Amino acid sequence: MKPYVFVTRKMPEHLLSDLYEIAEVGMWEHEDIPVPSEVLQKELERADALFSLVSDPLRSQQLAKCPKLKVIANMAVGYDNIDVEHATNKGIVVCHTPDVLTDTTADLTFALLLATARKIPEATDYIKNDQWQQWSPYLLAGTDVHHKTIGIVGMGRIGEAVAKRAKGFDMEILYHNRSRKMETEQQLGAKYCSFEELLQQSDYVVCLAPFTPVTKELFDQQAFQQMKNSAIFINASRGGLVNEAALQEALEKGVIQAAGLDVFAEEPVRANHPLVQLPNVVAIPHIGSATVETRDAMVKMTVENIKKVLEGKPPLAAVNFKELGV
């Protein structure tokens, strides 16, 4: 019998052709609606492989009954939706899709920075709402990006790609990371500093760190208070790195100037979310890697990860290699 693979969201059929050749494939029928928990649980009980998204919770309770599951392939760089330790204890390989979305996410991150600094959404609405009656010197005046200081928290692949874009704007580049990146420093002129120094010196603080128990709510009230009053905060990583109540307070009281947010602690958010309601927030719906080219590449990589594990080969990218000896 062929192994059974369940895909948790509707994907383009032609991108799954390699799976159809080696497996029986089941797929949730909706593109925009997450698979219900009871459906996911039933599928886990019979699946040999799972094609998952970051919106699919795969905690210990979901993974408790999956006797045949060999691989969870997450169509994302992040995998904080998966209890990796529990999966590892059950011998399940956990895969993700790094690299293929690096430049696309960096583009979006810098676009979000520019849009927030230059009040692009507000300016667009200004015309759409028929408010443009005359020109004035300080009409929708934003903040310069060129020759300012950017502080990147999390200098992974995406952080390095954002730094490259910042260099093109003649920005001074500061970064904080678990470890120093000497090659990045040499190539881009980036300067390593402590988290506190980065907060105090940066005009733009960009969060690109992974979400872990250590980084949970890294940006709290104390962090925002250490930033410049003119600072702009950008988060294109995970919402859980931010204490949203502290960010709301900082924005309302002028502790920092503005924020651009692609991610939130609980998603999706509605229009009445307190941060979305603030005039100095640019909010977008977790679209960091959302281009057709990159989404297709992510699907293909997820398929290849599953295919290789089912064929007894090392996947392209697994997060629990060492523990499983893969």
Side-chain angles (χ1 to χ4, degrees), residues 145-159:
V145 174
H146 63 84
H147 295 95
K148 292 295 184 74
T149 299
I150 185 172
I152 300 172
V153 180
M155 190 61 93
R157 297 179 184 90
I158 297 171

Side-chain angles (χ1 to χ4, degrees), residues 171-219:
M171 301 183 83
E172 181 180 358
I173 302 166
L174 306 179
Y175 79 97
H176 179 72
N177 200 54
R178 287 178 298 177
S179 57
R180 288 189 66 170
K181 299 289 189 72
M182 303 303 294
E183 186 176 345
T184 302
E185 292 180 25
Q186 294 170 2
Q187 291 178 346
L188 300 174
K191 300 176 183 176
Y192 176 83
C193 60
S194 69
F195 182 58
E196 291 73 20
E197 289 171 332
L198 182 147
L199 297 177
Q200 294 163 8
Q201 297 176 31
S202 298
D203 299 301
Y204 297 90
V205 177
V206 181
C207 175
L208 291 168
F211 179 69
T212 68
V214 175
T215 60
K216 182 179 180 180
E217 296 194 354
L218 176 66
F219 290 92

Side-chain angles (χ1 to χ4, degrees), residues 110 162-171 173 186-189:
F110 212 83
V162 169
K164 289 178 183 177
R165 286 149 179 77
K167 188 176 182 180
F169 280 75
D170 295 315
M171 301 183 83
I173 302 166
Q186 294 170 2
Q187 291 178 346
L188 300 174

Side-chain angles (χ1 to χ4, degrees), residues 260-325:
L261 308 173
D262 184 40
V263 289
F264 294 85
E266 297 292 336
E267 296 176 355
V269 299
R270 311 307 300 175
N272 62 355
H273 189 286
L275 286 171
V276 175
Q277 289 289 311
L278 295 178
N280 52 347
V281 169
V282 176
I284 54 177
H286 203 152
I287 56 171
S289 58
T291 67
V292 173
E293 298 91 337
T294 294
R295 288 287 193 247
D296 284 356
M298 292 169 71
V299 173
K300 290 176 183 178
M301 187 172 185
T302 305
V303 166
E304 190 64 18
N305 278 330
I306 291 172
K307 186 170 180 283
K308 285 188 176 296
V309 172
L310 293 181
E311 291 176 343
K313 300 174 184 177
L316 299 179
V319 302
N320 54 352
F321 264 130
K322 295 181 180 178
E323 293 84 349
L324 292 173

Side-chain angles (χ1 to χ4, degrees), residues 109 111-119 121 143 203-207 219 224 227 229-236 242-244 246-252 255-264 274-284:
T109 302
L112 182 57
L113 185 156
L114 287 167
T116 307
R118 297 301 305 272
K119 302 185 178 182
T143 303
D203 299 301
Y204 297 90
V205 177
V206 181
C207 175
F219 290 92
F224 292 119
M227 295 183 193
N229 295 133
S230 59
I232 290 176
F233 175 68
I234 304 295
N235 189 8
V242 179
N243 181 311
E244 291 186 343
L247 175 58
Q248 179 184 348
E249 182 181 25
L251 290 163
E252 290 177 336
V255 175
I256 64 173
Q257 181 178 332
L261 308 173
D262 184 40
V263 289
F264 294 85
L275 286 171
V276 175
Q277 289 289 311
L278 295 178
N280 52 347
V281 169
V282 176
I284 54 177

